[in-house]
């Protein structure tokens, strides 16, 4: 029986970004240096496949520092943590490694700088997301006000409209955030913005690739986790860019084949914490049912690399160099 033809448009860039790459490497290097178990506060990145793989190697994932023993290393996730967390780890004399993405750390530094200059912060982000919790936790209670939508801007109560600045979560929708920023600037003309866009290069690039790919495809799949902010934004961006069916799948087993009946073109991308292995698994699942032709839709080339912390590049005490 002949398989129906299917053109698969593969977004580039997609998948792992430099911050995720670095965070995973940090856990692997910590396990090599100190042996198992190594504790990780919160999922190192939002991807079950990645987390399960690291758990198999000896990483123990916990939500709170008090679940970690004093005598084992602990790693803070790529999303960042409130200031109180490393302070508590230091008080307990724990060995800790901060895997916060450098682009998230940049936002933390920015928030602190504005606060030092007497400005109250408005954060554009998602309530409860670990990155938002970490950024808001850089400053004392009440110093960072959260807005999630344009509607929130109308009701936010600030201390002094003349002394305000804003930062954003790094994984938001570029277009939605632009609308919220415009609303903030309209209500608070004196508000100070970041020197450079807080939404990270990888989020922006992946969204741009989806915008280019979405109008070409009958349907679109985003490989990523349901708790991954940047992956969920890719689904939304695809739908807004004209793709009538955009869906998030963790891996090939999640594909809803009935919803894809009769398609002749498909867009595939992956969130910043989804490994390429899972993208290939999805493509192979389509090859088993369709005569697949793959075409790349490339909108940017990424060559960013972040160094791992020095503590992991130095040998363990007593180890031979």
């Amino acid at each position: 029986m002949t398989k129906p033809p299917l053109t698969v448009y593969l977004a580039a860039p997609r998948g792992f970004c430099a911050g995720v790459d670095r965070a995973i490497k940090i856990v692997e290097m910590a396990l090599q240096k100190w042996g198992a178990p190594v504790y990780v506060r919160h999922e190192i990145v939002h991807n079950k496949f990645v987390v399960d793989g690291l758990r198999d190697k000896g990483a123990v994932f916990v939500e709170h520092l008090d679940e970690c023993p004093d005598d084992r290393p602990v790693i803070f996730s790529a999303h960042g943590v409130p200031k109180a967390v490393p302070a508590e780890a230091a008080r307990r004399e724990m060995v800790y490694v901060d895997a916060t993405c450098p682009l998230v750390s940049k936002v933390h530094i920015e928030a602190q700088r504005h606060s030092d200059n007497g400005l109250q912060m408005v954060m554009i982000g998602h309530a409860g997301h670990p990155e938002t919790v970490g950024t808001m936790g850089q400053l004392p209670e009440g110093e960072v006000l959260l807005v999630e939508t344009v509607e929130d801007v109308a009701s936010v109560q600030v201390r002094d409209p003349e002394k305000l600045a804003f930062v954003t979560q790094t994984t938001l929708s570029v277009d939605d955030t632009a609308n919220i920023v415009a609303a903030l600037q309209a209500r608070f003309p004196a508000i100070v913005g970041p020197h450079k866009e807080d939404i990270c290069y990888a989020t922006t690039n992946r969204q741009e690739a989806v915008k280019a790919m979405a109008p070409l495809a009958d349907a679109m799949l985003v490989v990523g986790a349901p708790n991954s902010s940047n992956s969920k934004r890719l689904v939304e961006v695809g739908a807004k860019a004209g793709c009538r069916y955009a869906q998030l799948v963790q891996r090939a087993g999640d594909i809803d084949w009935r919803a894809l009946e009769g398609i002749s073109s498909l867009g595939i991308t992956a969130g910043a914490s989804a490994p390429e292995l899972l993208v290939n698994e999805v493509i192979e699942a389509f090859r088993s049912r369709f005569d697949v032709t793959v075409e790349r839709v490339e909108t940017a080339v990424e060559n960013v690399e972040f160094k791992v912390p020095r503590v992991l590049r130095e040998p363990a005490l007593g180890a031979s160099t």
Side-chain angles (χ1 to χ4, degrees), residues 5-297:
L6 180 70
T7 303
V8 168
Y9 295 106
L10 197 53
R14 66 181 174 278
F16 277 4
C17 62
V20 164
D21 223 16
R22 172 180 179 268
I24 295 166
K25 208 177 281 176
I26 284 171
V27 179
E28 290 173 341
M29 288 174 77
L31 286 163
Q32 279 170 7
K33 178 166 180 167
W34 292 300
V38 163
Y39 285 75
V40 185
R41 186 190 175 280
H42 191 67
E43 291 186 347
I44 188 70
V45 296
H46 283 158
N47 187 277
K48 184 182 184 304
F49 181 84
V50 170
V51 168
D52 287 350
L54 292 171
R55 193 181 279 119
D56 291 345
K57 292 176 182 176
V60 178
F61 292 90
V62 297
E63 284 305 309
H64 305 284
L65 202 60
D66 56 19
E67 298 171 68
C68 305
D70 292 352
D71 61 348
R72 293 305 304 163
V74 61
I75 295 165
F76 305 143
S77 88
H79 309 97
V81 291
K83 260 191 181 157
V85 176
E88 173 62 10
R91 189 194 67 75
R92 287 171 57 185
E93 298 184 352
M94 301 171 81
V95 171
Y96 67 88
V97 186
D98 190 353
T100 302
C101 171
L103 298 177
V104 173
S105 298
K106 177 181 82 74
V107 178
H108 291 182
I109 292 162
E110 216 169 76
Q112 185 65 60
R113 184 171 50 79
H114 286 314
S115 181
D116 293 345
N117 291 333
L119 304 182
Q120 189 179 24
M121 300 300 306
V122 176
M123 175 159 194
I124 303 169
H126 295 296
H129 188 279
E131 186 188 326
T132 299
V133 172
T135 300
M136 293 180 75
Q138 298 305 302
L139 299 176
E141 188 81 26
E143 287 304 304
V144 188
L145 306 169
L146 181 67
V147 297
E148 297 190 76
T149 63
V150 167
E151 290 70 35
D152 289 347
V153 174
S155 57
V156 69
Q157 298 298 310
V158 305
R159 197 167 46 228
D160 180 349
E162 297 300 310
K163 291 188 172 178
L164 276 184
F166 74 86
V167 291
T168 78
Q169 190 178 319
T170 62
T171 54
L172 301 177
S173 154
V174 175
D175 297 337
D176 290 351
T177 305
N179 293 335
I180 299 170
V181 169
L184 279 171
Q185 290 168 333
R187 185 172 170 206
F188 307 112
I191 197 164
V192 178
H195 284 311
K196 191 175 176 294
E197 186 67 72
D198 282 342
I199 295 175
C200 82
Y201 78 94
T203 299
T204 305
N205 287 349
R206 278 150 193 70
Q207 289 180 19
E208 287 303 316
V210 162
K211 285 179 192 174
M213 179 179 76
L216 307 172
D218 295 335
M220 188 182 104
L221 296 182
V222 176
V223 180
N227 60 340
S228 161
S229 172
N230 78 85
S231 300
K232 289 199 290 192
R233 300 297 80 76
L234 290 175
V235 175
E236 293 166 6
V237 169
K240 279 185 182 169
C243 190
R244 61 176 178 79
Y245 178 87
Q247 199 60 46
L248 185 72
V249 294
Q250 293 202 67
R251 51 192 312 178
D254 301 327
I255 298 167
D256 179 355
W257 295 106
R258 278 185 307 181
L260 299 171
E261 272 174 22
I263 63 166
S264 60
S265 58
L266 174 77
I268 297 178
T269 188
S273 42
E276 189 64 8
L277 186 76
L278 299 184
V279 174
N280 292 334
E281 180 186 278
V282 167
I283 293 171
E284 285 313 307
F286 278 92
R287 285 194 196 282
S288 69
R289 294 165 179 253
F290 294 88
D291 180 11
V292 170
T293 308
V294 176
E295 288 186 24
R296 274 163 63 88
V297 178

